[in-house]
Amino acid sequence: MTQDELKQLVAEAALKHVVPDAVVGVGSGSTVNFFIDALARMKNRIAGAVAASEASAARLRKHGIEVLELNNVDDLPVYIDGADEITEHLAMIKGGGGALTREKIIAAVARRFVCICDASKLVPVLGKFPLPVEVIPMARSYVGRELRRLGADPEWRQDFRTDNGNLIIDCHGLTILDPVQREGELNNIAGVVTNGLFARRPADLLLLGAPAGVRSIAARGV
Ligand code: 5RP
């Protein structure tokens, strides 16, 4: 199976986790695009969606799915999103597409986070994928120096602005053994909006697409 076929497989499997008559949280990226296309088939059975990126919002609208503002949503039973790396403990690196801040906000609001990935995303330790950090433009150089001091090799993502008008610095060379602590440490740098570690609020369920089928890995106690 190709990587796209595996993404499609988990996207379809995620439909079972969408709660009827409720608003669904929708992340961003190529795996989520497959999910949005699948969600269109049940658009009359949901109350609408909140989207983590302008691109996802546009795709949802193209399918005739109403996109709501998060501030107007009181209850979000489930959020479906991809990841760039994920561990068996369901901590993730996200933000390859630069939508990490809105993704983290929606993940915080949602009662349940279902992560959908092809099997290549499952790793024993986070950090091989460069960790994205969203930065206020005037803080770029300062944040870069601080990231270097913390052991990263920072690279400014060229010709890219987030949906929030900010910059992304990708951190190479990190081996992230304690993602919860690392997430807080990076967020404490002045000028950082957020970083792509999702460890303080990990996924609740991982649907992992492999040639043998979809494997489910639930967080302990879920
Ligand atoms: C975007 C993200 C995506 O979830 C992540 O990059 C995975 O994308 P894809 O499904 O294309 O591999 O965090 O900011």
Side-chain angles (χ1 to χ4, degrees), residues 7 28-32 81-84 93-100 103 116 118 121 129:
K7 288 178 183 186
S28 68
S30 56
T31 315
V32 162
D81 198 0
D84 298 301
I93 285 183
K94 292 182 46 53
L100 60 161
E103 290 171 344
I116 52 174
D118 67 85
K121 306 290 183 69
F129 188 92

Side-chain angles (χ1 to χ4, degrees), residues 158-202:
Q158 294 295 304
D159 302 321
F160 184 84
R161 288 270 173 170
T162 69
D163 285 346
N164 312 308
N166 297 316
L167 306 175
I168 295 285
I169 297 178
D170 292 304
C171 295
H172 299 258
L174 291 175
T175 302
I176 302 166
L177 298 172
D178 187 345
V180 170
Q181 198 226 316
R182 204 39 132 167
E183 183 178 354
E185 185 178 46
L186 295 175
N187 280 346
N188 273 340
I189 302 171
V192 167
V193 179
T194 196
N195 71 82
L197 277 172
F198 285 55
R200 295 181 170 218
R201 199 282 180 249

Side-chain angles (χ1 to χ4, degrees), residues 17-30:
H17 299 274
V18 173
V19 176
D21 300 320
V23 177
V24 57
V26 176
S28 68
S30 56

